[in-house]
Amino acid sequence: MKLLLATSLVFLLASSLSVRAADMEERIHDAIRIVEKRQGSIDPIPTEILQNAKGVAICTILRGGIGIGGQGGEGIVVIRHYGPTGFVWRAPSAFNISGASLGAQLGFSSISYIIVLNTDRAIGQFFNQGKVKWDATATGTAGADTGVESQSTRSLERQDVLVYRESGGLFGGATFGGSSIEAKDEINEEAYGEHTHVRDILEGRVPPPPQAQRLYDLLDGKQE
């Protein structure tokens, strides 16, 4: 009976996520809202962390199930690049995330995350056209929030990935174990033109859209 109920919940979760994928403008708007809320809180992501990041992914994940349940969500990733005028953010690329989630749970929950990507290995997972399994060993924040927060900023910067919730402390990266990420080509092509590939976007061959400027300002530490 529990297995049947869990299966039904996972199916309902998958169905709810596939009704309509948000377009690029909506995803950018959601990302701005998520980062504004976090950086306007009493516990913002440290400026040093964002200044030294190679990229940032922002997403909202919907979870459901019993014991080992399902999860899925959508978001955008932006890569930080050093250019002739200094560090600049490249255009956002849309991605979805799906897979298993661990922990006792019944029903559904929606949580937004800001994922700071500190290494080439971390950002490399977003360059693939197809679906790739999230590298659980790259989520170097596993453990209790308080234990992670006690680490120095320099120590945190050496982690491949840092996972922050929209509100609250630094979150254990084990949340994403067993998940897969997939570039959403149709969303990217709708935003940037036909035959635009994820590498074109993340390697800087696509101009950043003006509506993403507020997001870049927030990631650069500008509140106004």
Side-chain angles (χ1 to χ4, degrees), residues 42-117:
I42 61 172
D43 186 25
I45 301 171
T47 302
E48 307 95 297
I49 293 289
L50 292 173
Q51 286 179 340
N52 291 303
K54 288 182 176 288
V56 177
I58 304 113
C59 62
T60 298
I61 294 178
L62 182 66
R63 300 190 215 156
I66 299 175
I68 300 179
Q71 71 178 12
E74 58 187 29
I76 57 172
V77 59
V78 291
I79 301 299
R80 192 165 175 263
H81 171 70
Y82 187 78
T85 60
F87 283 104
V88 295
W89 294 96
R90 290 173 172 168
S93 176
F95 73 92
N96 280 13
I97 187 167
S98 61
S101 59
L102 302 178
Q105 52 189 329
L106 176 62
F108 297 99
S109 63
S110 176
I111 307 175
S112 296
Y113 294 97
I114 302 167
I115 308 168
V116 180
L117 310 169

Side-chain angles (χ1 to χ4, degrees), residues 107-188:
F108 297 99
S109 63
S110 176
I111 307 175
S112 296
Y113 294 97
I114 302 167
I115 308 168
V116 180
L117 310 169
N118 290 325
T119 65
D120 290 336
R121 180 170 72 140
I123 64 174
Q125 296 182 84
F126 291 88
F127 276 75
N128 296 280
Q129 285 295 131
K131 182 181 289 188
V132 296
K133 192 173 183 63
W134 180 275
D135 183 358
T137 63
T139 55
T141 61
D145 289 359
T146 53
V148 174
E149 289 176 337
S150 67
Q151 299 181 47
S152 68
T153 298
R154 185 168 296 277
S155 173
L156 290 174
E157 288 170 3
R158 288 196 292 266
Q159 306 282 7
D160 284 347
V161 172
L162 299 175
V163 182
Y164 290 86
R165 287 174 290 193
E166 182 177 6
S167 59
L170 185 60
F171 198 65
T175 303
F176 297 99
S179 297
S180 297
I181 52 179
E182 180 180 14
K184 297 306 293 177
D185 295 334
E186 64 273 24
I187 302 295
N188 289 333

